Coordinates of all heavy atoms in Angstrom, one line a residue:
R75 N -50.6 -12.8 -165.5 CA -51.1 -11.5 -165.7 C -52.0 -11.3 -166.9 O -51.8 -12.0 -167.9 CB -49.9 -10.5 -165.9 CG -49.0 -10.4 -164.6 CD -47.8 -9.5 -164.8 NE -48.1 -8.4 -165.7 CZ -47.1 -7.8 -166.4 NH1 -45.9 -8.2 -166.3 NH2 -47.4 -6.9 -167.3
Q76 N -52.9 -10.4 -166.8 CA -53.9 -10.2 -167.9 C -53.2 -9.8 -169.2 O -53.6 -10.3 -170.2 CB -54.9 -9.2 -167.4 CG -56.0 -9.0 -168.4 CD -56.9 -10.3 -168.6 OE1 -57.0 -11.1 -167.6 NE2 -57.4 -10.5 -169.7
A77 N -52.2 -9.0 -169.1 CA -51.5 -8.6 -170.3 C -50.9 -9.7 -171.1 O -50.9 -9.8 -172.3 CB -50.5 -7.5 -170.0
D78 N -50.3 -10.7 -170.3 CA -49.7 -11.9 -170.9 C -50.8 -12.7 -171.6 O -50.6 -13.3 -172.7 CB -49.0 -12.7 -169.8 CG -47.8 -12.0 -169.2 OD1 -47.2 -11.2 -169.9 OD2 -47.5 -12.2 -168.0
I79 N -51.9 -12.9 -170.9 CA -53.0 -13.7 -171.5 C -53.5 -13.1 -172.8 O -53.7 -13.8 -173.8 CB -54.1 -13.8 -170.4 CG1 -53.7 -14.7 -169.2 CG2 -55.4 -14.4 -171.1 CD1 -54.6 -14.6 -168.0
E80 N -53.7 -11.8 -172.8 CA -54.1 -11.1 -174.0 C -53.1 -11.2 -175.1 O -53.5 -11.4 -176.3 CB -54.5 -9.7 -173.7 CG -55.8 -9.6 -172.8 CD -56.3 -8.2 -172.6 OE1 -56.0 -7.3 -173.5 OE2 -57.0 -8.0 -171.6
W81 N -51.8 -11.1 -174.8 CA -50.8 -11.2 -175.8 C -50.8 -12.6 -176.4 O -50.8 -12.7 -177.7 CB -49.4 -10.9 -175.2 CG -48.3 -11.1 -176.2 CD1 -47.9 -10.2 -177.1 CD2 -47.4 -12.2 -176.3 NE1 -46.8 -10.7 -177.8 CE2 -46.6 -11.9 -177.4 CE3 -47.3 -13.5 -175.7 CZ2 -45.6 -12.8 -177.8 CZ3 -46.4 -14.3 -176.1 CH2 -45.5 -14.0 -177.2
R82 N -50.9 -13.6 -175.6 CA -51.0 -15.0 -176.1 C -52.2 -15.1 -177.0 O -52.1 -15.7 -178.1 CB -51.1 -16.0 -175.0 CG -49.8 -16.2 -174.3 CD -50.0 -17.3 -173.2 NE -50.7 -18.5 -173.6 CZ -50.2 -19.5 -174.2 NH1 -48.9 -19.5 -174.5 NH2 -50.9 -20.5 -174.5
R83 N -53.4 -14.6 -176.6 CA -54.6 -14.7 -177.4 C -54.4 -14.0 -178.8 O -54.8 -14.5 -179.8 CB -55.8 -14.1 -176.6 CG -57.1 -14.3 -177.4 CD -58.3 -13.7 -176.6 NE -58.3 -14.2 -175.2 CZ -58.3 -13.5 -174.1 NH1 -58.3 -12.2 -174.2 NH2 -58.4 -14.0 -172.9
E84 N -53.8 -12.8 -178.8 CA -53.6 -12.1 -180.0 C -52.6 -12.8 -180.9 O -52.8 -12.8 -182.2 CB -53.2 -10.7 -179.7 CG -54.3 -9.8 -179.1 CD -53.9 -8.4 -178.8 OE1 -53.2 -7.8 -179.7 OE2 -54.3 -7.9 -177.8
V85 N -51.6 -13.4 -180.4 CA -50.6 -14.1 -181.2 C -51.3 -15.3 -181.9 O -51.1 -15.5 -183.1 CB -49.4 -14.5 -180.4 CG1 -48.4 -15.4 -181.2 CG2 -48.6 -13.2 -179.9
F86 N -52.1 -16.0 -181.1 CA -52.8 -17.2 -181.7 C -53.8 -16.7 -182.8 O -53.9 -17.4 -183.8 CB -53.5 -18.0 -180.6 CG -52.7 -19.1 -180.0 CD1 -52.1 -19.0 -178.8 CD2 -52.5 -20.3 -180.7 CE1 -51.3 -20.0 -178.3 CE2 -51.8 -21.3 -180.2 CZ -51.2 -21.2 -179.0
T87 N -54.4 -15.6 -182.6 CA -55.3 -15.0 -183.6 C -54.6 -14.7 -184.8 O -55.0 -15.0 -186.0 CB -56.0 -13.8 -183.0 OG1 -56.8 -14.2 -181.9 CG2 -56.9 -13.1 -184.1
R88 N -53.4 -14.1 -184.7 CA -52.6 -13.7 -185.9 C -52.1 -15.0 -186.6 O -52.0 -15.0 -187.9 CB -51.4 -12.9 -185.5 CG -51.7 -11.5 -185.0 CD -50.5 -10.8 -184.5 NE -49.4 -10.7 -185.5 CZ -49.3 -9.7 -186.4 NH1 -50.2 -8.7 -186.4 NH2 -48.3 -9.7 -187.2
W89 N -51.6 -16.0 -185.9 CA -51.0 -17.1 -186.5 C -51.9 -18.3 -186.8 O -51.6 -19.2 -187.5 CB -49.8 -17.6 -185.7 CG -48.6 -16.7 -185.9 CD1 -48.3 -15.6 -185.1 CD2 -47.6 -16.9 -186.9 NE1 -47.1 -15.1 -185.6 CE2 -46.7 -15.9 -186.7 CE3 -47.4 -17.8 -187.9 CZ2 -45.6 -15.7 -187.5 CZ3 -46.3 -17.7 -188.7 CH2 -45.4 -16.6 -188.5
G90 N -53.0 -18.4 -186.1 CA -53.8 -19.6 -186.2 C -53.2 -20.6 -185.3 O -52.3 -20.4 -184.5
K91 N -53.7 -21.8 -185.4 CA -53.2 -22.9 -184.6 C -52.2 -23.8 -185.4 O -52.5 -24.9 -185.7 CB -54.3 -23.7 -184.0 CG -55.1 -22.9 -183.0 CD -56.2 -23.7 -182.3 CE -56.9 -22.8 -181.3 NZ -58.0 -23.5 -180.6
R92 N -51.1 -23.2 -185.7 CA -50.0 -23.9 -186.5 C -48.7 -23.4 -186.1 O -48.5 -22.2 -185.8 CB -50.3 -23.8 -188.0 CG -50.2 -22.4 -188.5 CD -50.4 -22.3 -190.0 NE -50.3 -20.9 -190.4 CZ -49.2 -20.3 -190.8 NH1 -48.1 -20.9 -190.7 NH2 -49.2 -19.1 -191.2
C93 N -47.7 -24.3 -186.1 CA -46.4 -24.0 -185.8 C -45.8 -23.2 -186.9 O -46.0 -23.5 -188.1 CB -45.6 -25.2 -185.5 SG -43.8 -25.0 -185.2
A94 N -45.0 -22.1 -186.6 CA -44.4 -21.3 -187.6 C -43.2 -22.0 -188.3 O -42.8 -21.6 -189.4 CB -43.9 -20.0 -187.0
M95 N -42.7 -23.1 -187.7 CA -41.7 -23.9 -188.3 C -42.3 -25.0 -189.1 O -43.4 -25.4 -188.9 CB -40.8 -24.4 -187.3 CG -40.1 -23.4 -186.3 SD -38.9 -22.4 -187.2 CE -37.6 -23.6 -187.3
N96 N -41.6 -25.5 -190.1 CA -42.0 -26.8 -190.7 C -43.3 -26.6 -191.4 O -44.1 -27.6 -191.4 CB -42.0 -27.9 -189.7 CG -41.9 -29.3 -190.4 OD1 -41.5 -29.4 -191.5 ND2 -42.4 -30.3 -189.7
D97 N -43.6 -25.5 -192.0 CA -44.9 -25.2 -192.7 C -46.1 -25.6 -191.9 O -47.2 -26.0 -192.4 CB -44.9 -26.0 -194.0 CG -43.9 -25.5 -195.0 OD1 -43.6 -24.2 -194.9 OD2 -43.3 -26.3 -195.7
G98 N -46.0 -25.6 -190.5 CA -47.2 -25.8 -189.7 C -47.6 -27.3 -189.6 O -48.7 -27.6 -189.1
H99 N -46.7 -28.2 -190.0 CA -47.1 -29.6 -189.9 C -46.6 -30.3 -188.7 O -46.2 -31.4 -188.7 CB -46.5 -30.3 -191.1 CG -47.0 -29.9 -192.4 ND1 -48.3 -30.1 -192.8 CD2 -46.5 -29.1 -193.4 CE1 -48.6 -29.6 -194.0 NE2 -47.5 -28.9 -194.4
C100 N -46.6 -29.6 -187.6 CA -46.2 -30.1 -186.3 C -47.4 -30.5 -185.5 O -48.5 -30.2 -185.7 CB -45.4 -29.1 -185.5 SG -43.9 -28.5 -186.4
Q101 N -47.1 -31.2 -184.4 CA -48.2 -31.7 -183.5 C -48.3 -30.8 -182.3 O -47.3 -30.2 -181.9 CB -47.8 -33.1 -183.1 CG -47.8 -34.2 -184.2 CD -49.1 -34.3 -184.9 OE1 -50.1 -34.4 -184.3 NE2 -49.1 -34.3 -186.2
P102 N -49.5 -30.7 -181.8 CA -49.7 -29.9 -180.5 C -49.0 -30.6 -179.4 O -48.6 -31.8 -179.6 CB -51.2 -30.0 -180.3 CG -51.8 -30.5 -181.6 CD -50.7 -31.2 -182.3
P103 N -48.7 -30.0 -178.3 CA -49.3 -28.7 -177.9 C -48.5 -27.5 -178.6 O -47.4 -27.7 -179.0 CB -49.1 -28.6 -176.4 CG -47.9 -29.5 -176.1 CD -48.0 -30.6 -177.2
L104 N -49.1 -26.4 -178.7 CA -48.5 -25.2 -179.3 C -48.3 -24.1 -178.2 O -49.1 -24.0 -177.2 CB -49.5 -24.6 -180.3 CG -49.8 -25.6 -181.5 CD1 -50.9 -25.0 -182.4 CD2 -48.5 -25.9 -182.3
D105 N -47.2 -23.4 -178.4 CA -46.8 -22.4 -177.4 C -46.6 -21.0 -178.2 O -46.3 -21.0 -179.4 CB -45.5 -22.7 -176.7 CG -45.5 -24.0 -175.9 OD1 -46.6 -24.2 -175.2 OD2 -44.5 -24.7 -175.9
T106 N -46.7 -19.9 -177.5 CA -46.3 -18.7 -178.0 C -44.8 -18.4 -177.7 O -44.3 -18.9 -176.8 CB -47.1 -17.5 -177.4 OG1 -47.0 -17.6 -176.0 CG2 -48.5 -17.5 -177.9
H107 N -44.2 -17.7 -178.6 CA -42.7 -17.4 -178.5 C -42.5 -16.0 -179.0 O -43.0 -15.6 -180.0 CB -41.9 -18.4 -179.4 CG -40.5 -18.2 -179.3 ND1 -39.7 -18.6 -178.2 CD2 -39.6 -17.7 -180.2 CE1 -38.4 -18.3 -178.5 NE2 -38.4 -17.8 -179.7
H108 N -41.6 -15.3 -178.2 CA -41.2 -14.0 -178.6 C -40.1 -14.0 -179.7 O -39.1 -14.7 -179.5 CB -40.7 -13.2 -177.4 CG -41.7 -12.8 -176.5 ND1 -42.1 -13.6 -175.4 CD2 -42.5 -11.7 -176.4 CE1 -43.1 -13.0 -174.7 NE2 -43.3 -11.8 -175.3
I109 N -40.3 -13.3 -180.8 CA -39.3 -13.3 -181.9 C -38.1 -12.6 -181.4 O -37.0 -13.1 -181.5 CB -39.9 -12.6 -183.1 CG1 -41.1 -13.4 -183.7 CG2 -38.8 -12.4 -184.2 CD1 -41.9 -12.6 -184.7
N110 N -38.3 -11.4 -180.9 CA -37.2 -10.7 -180.2 C -37.4 -11.0 -178.7 O -38.4 -10.7 -178.1 CB -37.3 -9.2 -180.5 CG -37.1 -8.9 -181.9 OD1 -36.0 -8.9 -182.4 ND2 -38.2 -8.5 -182.6
S111 N -36.3 -11.5 -178.1 CA -36.4 -11.9 -176.7 C -36.9 -10.8 -175.8 O -36.7 -9.6 -176.0 CB -35.1 -12.5 -176.2 OG -34.2 -11.4 -176.0
K112 N -37.4 -11.2 -174.7 CA -37.9 -10.2 -173.6 C -36.7 -9.5 -173.1 O -36.9 -8.3 -172.8 CB -38.6 -11.0 -172.5 CG -39.9 -11.7 -173.0 CD -40.6 -12.4 -171.8 CE -40.3 -13.8 -171.9 NZ -41.0 -14.6 -170.9
Q113 N -35.6 -10.1 -173.0 CA -34.4 -9.4 -172.5 C -33.8 -8.4 -173.5 O -33.4 -7.3 -173.1 CB -33.3 -10.4 -172.1 CG -33.6 -11.3 -171.0 CD -34.6 -12.5 -171.4 OE1 -34.7 -12.8 -172.5 NE2 -35.2 -13.1 -170.4
A114 N -33.9 -8.8 -174.8 CA -33.3 -7.9 -175.8 C -34.2 -6.7 -176.1 O -33.8 -5.6 -176.4 CB -33.0 -8.7 -177.1
R115 N -35.6 -6.9 -176.1 CA -36.5 -5.9 -176.4 C -37.7 -5.9 -175.5 O -38.8 -6.3 -175.8 CB -37.0 -6.1 -177.9 CG -36.0 -5.9 -179.0 CD -35.5 -4.5 -179.1 NE -36.6 -3.5 -179.3 CZ -37.1 -3.1 -180.4 NH1 -36.6 -3.6 -181.6 NH2 -38.0 -2.2 -180.5
P116 N -37.5 -5.5 -174.2 CA -38.6 -5.5 -173.2 C -39.7 -4.6 -173.7 O -40.9 -4.8 -173.2 CB -37.9 -5.0 -171.9 CG -36.6 -4.4 -172.3 CD -36.2 -5.0 -173.6
D117 N -39.5 -3.6 -174.5 CA -40.5 -2.7 -175.0 C -41.5 -3.4 -175.9 O -42.6 -3.0 -176.1 CB -39.9 -1.5 -175.7 CG -39.0 -1.9 -176.9 OD1 -38.2 -2.9 -176.7 OD2 -39.2 -1.4 -178.0
L118 N -41.1 -4.6 -176.4 CA -42.0 -5.4 -177.3 C -42.7 -6.6 -176.6 O -43.3 -7.4 -177.2 CB -41.2 -5.9 -178.5 CG -40.5 -4.9 -179.4 CD1 -39.7 -5.5 -180.4 CD2 -41.6 -3.9 -180.0
L119 N -42.6 -6.6 -175.3 CA -43.1 -7.7 -174.5 C -44.5 -8.1 -174.9 O -44.8 -9.3 -175.0 CB -43.0 -7.4 -173.0 CG -43.4 -8.5 -172.1 CD1 -42.6 -9.8 -172.2 CD2 -43.4 -8.0 -170.6
H120 N -45.4 -7.1 -175.0 CA -46.8 -7.4 -175.3 C -47.3 -7.0 -176.6 O -48.5 -6.8 -176.8 CB -47.7 -6.8 -174.1 CG -47.4 -7.5 -172.8 ND1 -46.9 -6.8 -171.8 CD2 -47.6 -8.8 -172.4 CE1 -46.7 -7.7 -170.8 NE2 -47.2 -8.8 -171.1
E121 N -46.3 -6.9 -177.6 CA -46.7 -6.5 -179.0 C -46.9 -7.8 -179.7 O -46.0 -8.6 -179.9 CB -45.6 -5.7 -179.6 CG -45.4 -4.3 -179.0 CD -46.6 -3.4 -179.3 OE1 -47.3 -3.6 -180.3 OE2 -46.8 -2.5 -178.4
P122 N -48.1 -8.0 -180.2 CA -48.4 -9.3 -181.0 C -47.5 -9.5 -182.2 O -47.3 -10.7 -182.5 CB -49.9 -9.1 -181.4 CG -50.5 -8.2 -180.4 CD -49.3 -7.2 -180.0
V123 N -47.1 -8.4 -182.8 CA -46.2 -8.6 -184.0 C -44.8 -9.2 -183.6 O -44.1 -9.7 -184.4 CB -46.0 -7.3 -184.8 CG1 -47.2 -6.8 -185.4 CG2 -45.3 -6.3 -183.9
N124 N -44.5 -9.2 -182.3 CA -43.3 -9.8 -181.8 C -43.5 -11.3 -181.3 O -42.7 -11.8 -180.7 CB -42.7 -9.0 -180.7 CG -41.3 -9.5 -180.3 OD1 -40.5 -9.8 -181.1 ND2 -41.1 -9.5 -179.0
G125 N -44.6 -11.9 -181.7 CA -44.9 -13.2 -181.3 C -45.2 -14.2 -182.4 O -45.6 -13.8 -183.5
I126 N -44.8 -15.4 -182.3 CA -45.1 -16.5 -183.2 C -45.6 -17.7 -182.4 O -45.5 -17.7 -181.2 CB -43.9 -16.9 -184.1 CG1 -42.7 -17.3 -183.2 CG2 -43.5 -15.8 -185.0 CD1 -41.5 -17.9 -184.0
I127 N -46.1 -18.7 -183.1 CA -46.6 -19.9 -182.5 C -45.6 -21.0 -182.9 O -45.2 -21.1 -184.1 CB -48.0 -20.3 -183.1 CG1 -49.0 -19.2 -182.8 CG2 -48.5 -21.6 -182.5 CD1 -49.2 -18.9 -181.3
L128 N -45.2 -21.7 -181.9 CA -44.3 -22.9 -182.1 C -44.9 -24.1 -181.4 O -45.5 -24.0 -180.4 CB -42.9 -22.6 -181.5 CG -42.1 -21.5 -182.1 CD1 -40.8 -21.3 -181.4 CD2 -41.8 -21.8 -183.6
C129 N -44.7 -25.3 -182.0 CA -45.0 -26.5 -181.3 C -44.0 -26.6 -180.1 O -43.0 -25.9 -180.1 CB -44.9 -27.7 -182.2 SG -43.2 -28.1 -182.7
R130 N -44.4 -27.5 -179.2 CA -43.6 -27.6 -178.0 C -42.1 -27.9 -178.3 O -41.2 -27.4 -177.8 CB -44.2 -28.7 -177.1 CG -43.5 -28.9 -175.8 CD -43.6 -27.7 -174.8 NE -44.9 -27.2 -174.6 CZ -45.8 -27.5 -173.8 NH1 -45.6 -28.6 -173.0 NH2 -47.0 -26.9 -173.7
Q131 N -41.9 -28.9 -179.3 CA -40.5 -29.3 -179.6 C -39.7 -28.1 -180.2 O -38.6 -27.8 -179.8 CB -40.5 -30.4 -180.6 CG -39.1 -30.9 -181.0 CD -38.4 -31.4 -179.8 OE1 -38.9 -32.1 -178.9 NE2 -37.1 -31.1 -179.7
H132 N -40.3 -27.3 -181.1 CA -39.6 -26.2 -181.7 C -39.4 -25.1 -180.7 O -38.4 -24.4 -180.7 CB -40.3 -25.7 -182.9 CG -40.1 -26.5 -184.1 ND1 -41.1 -27.0 -184.9 CD2 -39.0 -27.0 -184.7 CE1 -40.7 -27.8 -185.9 NE2 -39.3 -27.7 -185.8
H133 N -40.3 -25.0 -179.7 CA -40.2 -23.9 -178.7 C -39.0 -24.3 -177.8 O -38.2 -23.4 -177.5 CB -41.5 -23.8 -177.9 CG -41.5 -22.6 -177.1 ND1 -42.4 -22.5 -176.0 CD2 -40.9 -21.4 -177.2 CE1 -42.2 -21.3 -175.5 NE2 -41.3 -20.6 -176.2
I134 N -38.9 -25.5 -177.4 CA -37.7 -26.0 -176.6 C -36.4 -25.8 -177.4 O -35.5 -25.2 -176.8 CB -37.9 -27.5 -176.2 CG1 -39.0 -27.6 -175.2 CG2 -36.6 -28.0 -175.7 CD1 -39.5 -29.1 -175.0
E135 N -36.4 -26.1 -178.6 CA -35.2 -25.9 -179.5 C -34.8 -24.5 -179.6 O -33.7 -24.1 -179.6 CB -35.4 -26.6 -180.8 CG -35.4 -28.1 -180.8 CD -35.8 -28.6 -182.2 OE1 -35.8 -27.9 -183.2 OE2 -36.0 -29.9 -182.3
A136 N -35.8 -23.6 -179.7 CA -35.6 -22.2 -179.9 C -34.9 -21.6 -178.7 O -34.1 -20.7 -178.8 CB -36.9 -21.4 -180.1
H137 N -35.2 -22.1 -177.5 CA -34.5 -21.6 -176.3 C -33.2 -22.3 -176.0 O -32.3 -21.7 -175.5 CB -35.5 -21.8 -175.1 CG -36.6 -20.8 -175.1 ND1 -36.4 -19.5 -174.6 CD2 -37.9 -20.9 -175.5 CE1 -37.5 -18.9 -174.7 NE2 -38.4 -19.7 -175.3
M138 N -33.1 -23.6 -176.5 CA -31.8 -24.3 -176.3 C -30.8 -23.8 -177.3 O -29.6 -23.8 -177.0 CB -32.0 -25.8 -176.4 CG -32.8 -26.4 -175.2 SD -33.1 -28.2 -175.4 CE -31.4 -28.8 -175.3
F139 N -31.2 -23.5 -178.5 CA -30.3 -23.2 -179.6 C -30.7 -21.9 -180.3 O -31.0 -21.9 -181.5 CB -30.2 -24.3 -180.6 CG -29.9 -25.7 -180.0 CD1 -31.0 -26.6 -179.9 CD2 -28.7 -26.0 -179.5 CE1 -30.7 -27.8 -179.3 CE2 -28.4 -27.3 -179.0 CZ -29.5 -28.2 -178.9
P140 N -30.7 -20.8 -179.6 CA -31.3 -19.6 -180.2 C -30.5 -19.1 -181.4 O -31.2 -18.5 -182.3 CB -31.2 -18.6 -179.0 CG -30.2 -19.1 -178.1 CD -30.2 -20.6 -178.2
V141 N -29.2 -19.3 -181.5 CA -28.5 -18.9 -182.7 C -29.0 -19.6 -183.9 O -29.1 -19.0 -185.0 CB -27.0 -19.1 -182.5 CG1 -26.2 -18.8 -183.7 CG2 -26.5 -18.3 -181.3
L142 N -29.3 -20.9 -183.8 CA -29.8 -21.6 -185.0 C -31.1 -21.1 -185.5 O -31.4 -21.2 -186.7 CB -29.9 -23.1 -184.6 CG -28.6 -23.8 -184.3 CD1 -28.9 -25.3 -183.9 CD2 -27.6 -23.8 -185.4
H143 N -32.0 -20.6 -184.6 CA -33.3 -20.1 -185.0 C -33.4 -18.6 -185.3 O -34.3 -18.2 -185.9 CB -34.3 -20.5 -183.9 CG -34.5 -21.9 -183.8 ND1 -33.6 -22.8 -183.1 CD2 -35.5 -22.7 -184.3 CE1 -34.1 -24.0 -183.1 NE2 -35.2 -24.0 -183.9
R144 N -32.4 -17.9 -184.9 CA -32.4 -16.4 -185.0 C -32.7 -15.9 -186.4 O -33.6 -15.1 -186.6 CB -31.2 -15.8 -184.4 CG -31.2 -14.3 -184.4 CD -29.9 -13.7 -183.8 NE -28.7 -14.3 -184.4 CZ -27.6 -14.6 -183.8 NH1 -27.6 -14.4 -182.5 NH2 -26.6 -15.2 -184.4
D145 N -32.0 -16.5 -187.4 CA -32.2 -16.0 -188.7 C -33.6 -16.4 -189.3 O -34.2 -15.6 -190.0 CB -31.1 -16.6 -189.7 CG -29.7 -15.9 -189.4 OD1 -29.7 -14.8 -188.8 OD2 -28.7 -16.6 -189.7
H146 N -34.0 -17.6 -188.9 CA -35.3 -18.0 -189.4 C -36.4 -17.1 -188.8 O -37.3 -16.7 -189.5 CB -35.6 -19.5 -189.0 CG -36.9 -20.0 -189.5 ND1 -37.1 -20.3 -190.9 CD2 -38.0 -20.3 -188.9 CE1 -38.3 -20.7 -191.1 NE2 -38.9 -20.7 -189.9
F147 N -36.3 -16.8 -187.5 CA -37.3 -16.0 -186.8 C -37.3 -14.6 -187.4 O -38.3 -13.9 -187.4 CB -37.2 -16.0 -185.3 CG -37.5 -17.3 -184.7 CD1 -36.9 -17.6 -183.5 CD2 -38.3 -18.3 -185.3 CE1 -37.2 -18.9 -182.9 CE2 -38.5 -19.5 -184.7 CZ -38.0 -19.8 -183.5
A148 N -36.2 -14.1 -187.8 CA -36.1 -12.7 -188.3 C -36.9 -12.5 -189.5 O -37.4 -11.4 -189.8 CB -34.6 -12.4 -188.6
T149 N -37.2 -13.6 -190.2 CA -38.1 -13.5 -191.4 C -39.5 -13.2 -191.0 O -40.3 -12.7 -191.9 CB -38.0 -14.7 -192.3 OG1 -38.6 -15.8 -191.6 CG2 -36.6 -15.1 -192.7
F150 N -39.9 -13.5 -189.8 CA -41.3 -13.2 -189.3 C -41.4 -11.8 -188.8 O -42.5 -11.3 -188.7 CB -41.6 -14.2 -188.2 CG -41.6 -15.6 -188.7 CD1 -40.8 -16.5 -188.0 CD2 -42.3 -16.1 -189.7 CE1 -40.8 -17.9 -188.3 CE2 -42.3 -17.4 -190.1 CZ -41.5 -18.3 -189.4
S151 N -40.3 -11.2 -188.4 CA -40.4 -9.9 -187.7 C -40.8 -8.8 -188.6 O -40.2 -8.7 -189.7 CB -39.1 -9.6 -187.0 OG -39.2 -8.4 -186.3
V152 N -41.7 -8.0 -188.2 CA -42.1 -6.8 -189.0 C -41.6 -5.6 -188.3 O -42.0 -4.5 -188.6 CB -43.6 -6.8 -189.2 CG1 -44.0 -7.9 -190.1 CG2 -44.4 -6.7 -187.9
L153 N -40.7 -5.7 -187.3 CA -40.2 -4.6 -186.5 C -38.9 -4.1 -187.0 O -38.1 -4.7 -187.6 CB -40.0 -5.1 -185.1 CG -41.3 -5.8 -184.5 CD1 -41.0 -6.4 -183.1 CD2 -42.4 -4.7 -184.3

């Protein structure tokens, strides 16, 4: 969907091309990730402030172990 594409573009613009974890010293590919999950905050689905950039490995870990990443991601949220 166009709204998803634009959200991704805006998140990359805000963060640049670096992973939000590990001071950005990760390897590509890079993915967008919702700070507050789509299920928890559907109203923030397309809000760029609710997005960060993660390398593929950190993105997988964020979904596999959300409790471990929740506090770290909360430091990025401006909501």
Side-chain angles (χ1 to χ4, degrees):
R75 292 180 30 209
Q76 187 62 31
D78 295 329
I79 293 168
E80 290 188 23
W81 178 79
R82 284 181 47 82
R83 185 179 307 123
E84 290 183 40
V85 173
F86 269 102
T87 297
R88 289 174 59 87
W89 280 93
K91 293 185 177 180
R92 62 181 179 84
C93 178
M95 303 290 286
N96 198 25
D97 294 326
H99 296 289
C100 299
Q101 297 298 314
L104 300 172
D105 297 322
T106 51
H107 178 75
H108 288 89
I109 297 168
N110 296 288
S111 74
K112 295 180 260 186
Q113 293 78 17
R115 294 293 306 269
D117 57 313
L118 299 176
L119 180 63
H120 293 114
E121 293 294 330
V123 295
N124 188 39
I126 58 174
I127 302 299
L128 297 175
C129 68
R130 182 68 46 87
Q131 183 62 40
H132 283 126
H133 197 201
I134 290 168
E135 290 174 8
H137 285 280
M138 289 179 67
F139 310 106
V141 173
L142 298 177
H143 291 82
R144 183 176 51 219
D145 291 339
H146 185 73
F147 292 157
T149 64
F150 300 125
S151 181
V152 294
L153 305 172

